[in-house]
Amino acid sequence: MERYHDCWILYRALIDRLFHLRALADNNDFLIFDDWSFMRQYEYRHRVRSDPEFKDTLNPEVFRDTHEERERYQEIKKRSPKWKRPHAETIAKKMGCEFLYKYSYDYASTHVHPMANDGDEDFRRLTGLIQYDQPLDRRVILNNSCLTLVLLIQEGLNAGTLHWRTLVYDFLKHFMDSLRSGSKDYGITFIKIVEMKEEMGLCQKRSSG
């Protein structure tokens, strides 16, 4: 579809989540982040409901809070959890991956924030009036996105205690090899993961039966 600008925006979001996950794992802030997120989202819904400008057009079902949510909010509000989003460049340095900030997060941010040449890519794609002397190799965004996704999954596994994660690590290693050399070994471990899932499902049926 040649919507490369959108690809960079999605890639920037992926990198942002990677940095957030590393910061949460380093500081063991998962619980406070969960409370902080719930409080912010609850208060957002409240602001929308309380806005007199759109009160007659608002769909109340979309922004309705359950009794359990109201009780949880009151309990969290008493504690008033303090949490701040991590600084991307600082986290990248702690990871020993400054390149993820310089050449990924920071560069991709130029596609998120308004720039003077916004729309040039869409104009070229939609009209065909502008042609490049040499076609640009756009595979880098796909390759980098796959790399970031693998790192994100690894961070999640490192922060957890799942006993079956060894097989997933093998799959991720083989997937990384495919990015470097085009190896297809990841297909073997993927089949093993599928078989393991089927075995787990069978065991659950037997235990429930």
Side-chain angles (χ1 to χ4, degrees):
M1 296 173 66
E2 297 188 44
R3 295 175 61 176
Y4 303 114
H5 185 86
D6 295 339
C7 291
W8 280 105
I9 293 174
L10 293 172
Y11 178 54
R12 164 64 163 68
L14 201 61
I15 288 284
D16 204 9
R17 279 155 176 74
L18 173 63
F19 291 156
H20 271 65
L21 183 55
R22 168 54 74 94
L24 291 171
D26 285 348
N27 301 315
N28 194 23
D29 278 345
F30 291 105
L31 291 179
I32 192 173
F33 177 59
D34 186 53
D35 286 344
W36 179 87
S37 299
F38 177 86
M39 185 174 68
R40 292 293 298 271
Q41 291 165 344
Y42 184 97
E43 292 174 347
Y44 169 77
R45 293 196 300 272
H46 177 72
R47 286 196 300 272
V48 173
R49 289 196 304 266
S50 304
D51 188 348
E53 184 177 359
F54 297 103
K55 66 178 182 179
D56 295 330
T57 58
L58 182 70
N59 183 351
E61 294 300 324
V62 176
F63 297 95
R64 188 184 303 278
D65 298 318
T66 65
H67 176 71
E68 291 77 11
E69 288 172 332
R70 289 192 293 271
E71 285 191 337
R72 183 185 177 190
Y73 174 77
Q74 293 300 328
E75 189 274 327
I76 293 175
K77 190 65 176 178
K78 292 178 182 177
R79 293 186 278 109
S80 187
K82 305 296 183 184
W83 186 83
K84 293 181 63 177
R85 294 197 182 278
H87 186 253
E89 187 174 9
T90 301
I91 298 302
K93 289 180 179 179
K94 287 184 177 180
M95 294 175 65
C97 298
E98 290 186 69
F99 68 92
L100 285 177
Y101 176 80
K102 295 178 182 178
Y103 309 118
S104 295
Y105 183 95
D106 200 30
Y107 174 74
S109 294
T110 65
H111 293 270
V112 174
H113 306 302
M115 304 294 283
N117 61 340
D118 282 354
D120 284 1
E121 282 284 343
D122 290 331
F123 181 80
R124 180 199 63 79
R125 175 174 58 86
L126 293 172
T127 66
L129 297 177
I130 301 174
Q131 300 293 332
Y132 294 117
D133 294 335
Q134 292 183 341
L136 299 178
D137 189 347
R138 302 290 191 170
R139 289 174 296 178
V140 62
I141 183 59
L142 177 61
N143 194 84
N144 288 357
S145 296
C146 289
L147 171 62
T148 304
L149 183 60
V150 170
L151 294 175
L152 185 61
I153 295 172
Q154 286 181 329
E155 288 293 332
L157 291 172
N158 290 340
T161 58
L162 300 173
H163 297 296
W164 47 262
R165 62 185 181 180
T166 299
L167 182 57
V168 180
Y169 277 127
D170 290 342
F171 170 77
L172 294 177
K173 178 185 180 302
H174 291 157
F175 193 79
M176 292 282 283
D177 290 341
S178 74
L179 296 178
R180 299 187 185 98
S181 64
S183 170
K184 303 298 183 182
D185 289 345
Y186 65 86
I188 299 174
T189 45
F190 180 77
I191 292 174
K192 292 181 180 179
I193 292 174
V194 173
E195 292 175 345
M196 180 186 66
K197 178 180 180 297
E198 292 174 349
E199 291 176 2
M200 292 175 63
L202 182 60
C203 291
Q204 288 177 349
K205 288 182 180 179
R206 289 175 177 171
S207 62
S208 61

